[in-house]
Amino acid sequence: MSELASSGQLRAAFLRWALFLVPGIVLLGFLSGVVAQSGPGNPWFDALRKPGVYPPPAAFGIVWTALYVLMGFALTAVITARGARSRGFAIAVFVIQLLLNLVWSPLFFAAHQISAALMLLVVLDAAVIVTVVAFYRVRPRAAFLLAPYLAWILFATFLTWQFLDLNPEADGRATSGAAVRVQI
């Protein structure tokens, strides 16, 4: 016997998944940044020459939080599309791109590997495009929720290339984190 869920049951399922996935994805992104000491306050990063298109530092926390929320809702829409063809593939490619995303901050900010982070972003760009296409096949609305993320990742790729171009000597360079005192 086959049972159909009511619209109320479908909304409840979506809400349950969203209450788990949205904060979970935001938390993973936050932890990746904390582990990597990303952004201002990182001595290595603070010493880098910044590209002219580098946004104000406060923008990153706001943008990434919004993007992770959208990613959580997009994944929720796909997960709750029970019986949809290619649903499993869409979820798998989402997980892969999310893992690539979470590795970027430690690679760039903690390991100081600008060129490796740039290569990772190129792979991430492709993975996000595949995810958007896969999500579109399951739930077009989910794919549209990922559009700002794709735009930001492409911008991040350009920005990382600019960082490498402006700071080739910093690629792979470790810093002690110790303060240097200069007395005149």
Side-chain angles (χ1 to χ4, degrees):
M1 184 169 144
S2 173
E3 294 183 32
L4 295 176
S6 70
S7 60
Q9 290 170 318
L10 293 174
R11 280 192 298 275
F14 182 89
L15 184 59
R16 280 191 304 272
W17 276 104
L19 287 172
F20 170 72
L21 290 173
V22 172
I25 290 172
V26 171
L27 180 63
L28 288 173
F30 174 76
L31 291 175
S32 174
V34 167
V35 165
Q37 290 184 313
S38 64
N42 177 316
W44 173 83
F45 182 73
D46 288 345
L48 295 178
R49 286 180 295 287
K50 310 299 186 278
V53 296
Y54 181 71
F60 289 92
I62 296 165
V63 169
W64 274 114
T65 300
L67 293 175
Y68 285 132
V69 167
L70 290 173
M71 290 167 64
F73 281 120
L75 180 60
T76 299
V78 169
I79 284 178
T80 57
R82 294 218 177 265
R85 293 173 62 184
S86 305
R87 177 176 160 258
F89 174 75
I91 294 168
V93 295
F94 179 89
V95 169
I96 291 167
Q97 71 76 29
L98 181 61
L99 292 174
L100 291 170
N101 172 305
L102 296 174
V103 167
W104 186 86
S105 287
L107 187 61
F108 184 87
F109 289 103
H112 311 143
Q113 299 295 321
I114 304 172
S115 57
L118 179 58
M119 288 185 276
L120 176 67
L121 275 172
V122 170
V123 173
L124 180 59
D125 293 340
V128 172
I129 290 168
V130 170
T131 304
V132 168
V133 170
F135 273 29
Y136 187 83
R137 290 181 178 157
V138 176
R139 287 248 167 103
R141 180 181 45 212
F144 291 118
L145 288 173
L146 292 182
Y149 173 51
L150 175 59
W152 186 259
I153 291 296
L154 292 170
F155 174 67
T157 303
F158 173 74
L159 200 57
T160 303
W161 172 69
Q162 288 289 292
F163 270 107
L164 182 59
D165 189 50
L166 290 170
N167 303 281
E169 74 287 347
D171 190 20
R173 187 185 77 210
T175 57
S176 68
V180 176
R181 177 178 229 156
V182 178
Q183 189 171 3
I184 301 178

